[in-house]
Amino acid sequence: MLAPVNTALYGPTMTDPLSAQDWLDQGLKTLATQGFSALKAELLAKAMGVSRGSFYWHFADIGAFHAAILKHWHEVAAEAIIAQVEAAADLGEPLAVLLRQVFSERLALERGVRSWAAFDAGARAAVQAIDRRRLDYVESLIRERGVTEEIAQARAQILYWAFLGYALSEKPLPKAPHEAMLTELIRIAVS
């Protein structure tokens, strides 16, 4: 006798299969909470309550999944944020909008990817690419204010180092010191 297809082994129903995006979203969540060593088909499938077959339906192997995770992270952690800042241009100074956004997020995913990059060449390349993209964007916002290229590069680097320090620190600042730090960063960025 065959088991019904809506058993725990196969997930809630076979008419509502998981998409590659579902796997990528779970991968980012897992990376943020458990680290890169948990990015394995069996562990992810168990967390999602499905069989590994669903994973292999969308990804040829774990290497393909890892590459897709890094691409998805780039979209979420750089391109989507840049698009939000561009869309919010009428809300004020773009640099201030950007800094308020990135310094108010929980950054466990940033720490997870950067930890992964210490052990994996593909993750390291993805981190280097996102660092370059972010730096170029911040520099372009500073240059739009009429600042010379040399000064814009220096300010962008200082702001980015501040962001990385913030992202890699595990203990968030209390509200008042956080707001004071952010106010001072914005002052430096837009002066």
Side-chain angles (χ1 to χ4, degrees), residues 14-152:
M14 291 303 286
T15 60
D16 190 21
L18 294 175
S19 68
Q21 189 63 50
D22 293 327
W23 284 99
L24 294 173
D25 291 341
Q26 180 65 40
L28 290 184
K29 179 180 171 186
T30 299
L31 182 56
T33 59
Q34 298 173 31
F36 66 92
S37 63
L39 294 179
K40 298 176 179 164
E42 189 163 338
L43 295 174
L44 293 166
K46 184 176 181 181
M48 297 171 77
V50 297
S51 72
R52 286 185 311 160
S54 174
F55 176 89
Y56 290 109
W57 178 260
H58 298 291
F59 305 100
D61 55 29
I62 199 69
F65 177 68
H66 286 173
I69 280 286
L70 292 167
K71 182 178 179 189
H72 185 43
W73 171 65
H74 184 96
E75 289 300 316
V76 168
E79 301 310 323
I81 291 170
I82 291 169
Q84 289 169 2
V85 170
E86 296 294 316
D90 59 333
L91 295 179
E93 168 60 48
L95 269 170
V97 171
L98 174 65
L99 291 172
R100 287 209 175 278
Q101 181 172 347
V102 299
F103 279 89
S104 66
E105 295 192 6
R106 295 174 194 241
L107 296 163
L109 180 57
E110 188 80 21
R111 286 189 298 277
V113 174
R114 288 180 182 279
S115 176
W116 186 11
F119 299 95
D120 181 84
R124 191 167 30 264
V127 166
Q128 290 168 347
I130 205 170
D131 286 347
R132 183 75 272 147
R133 174 67 169 121
R134 289 168 170 171
L135 272 167
D136 288 346
Y137 182 66
V138 172
E139 183 183 335
S140 74
L141 291 178
I142 294 169
R143 289 192 68 197
E144 285 174 8
R145 300 185 55 75
V147 175
T148 67
E149 182 177 352
E150 184 178 349
I151 299 297

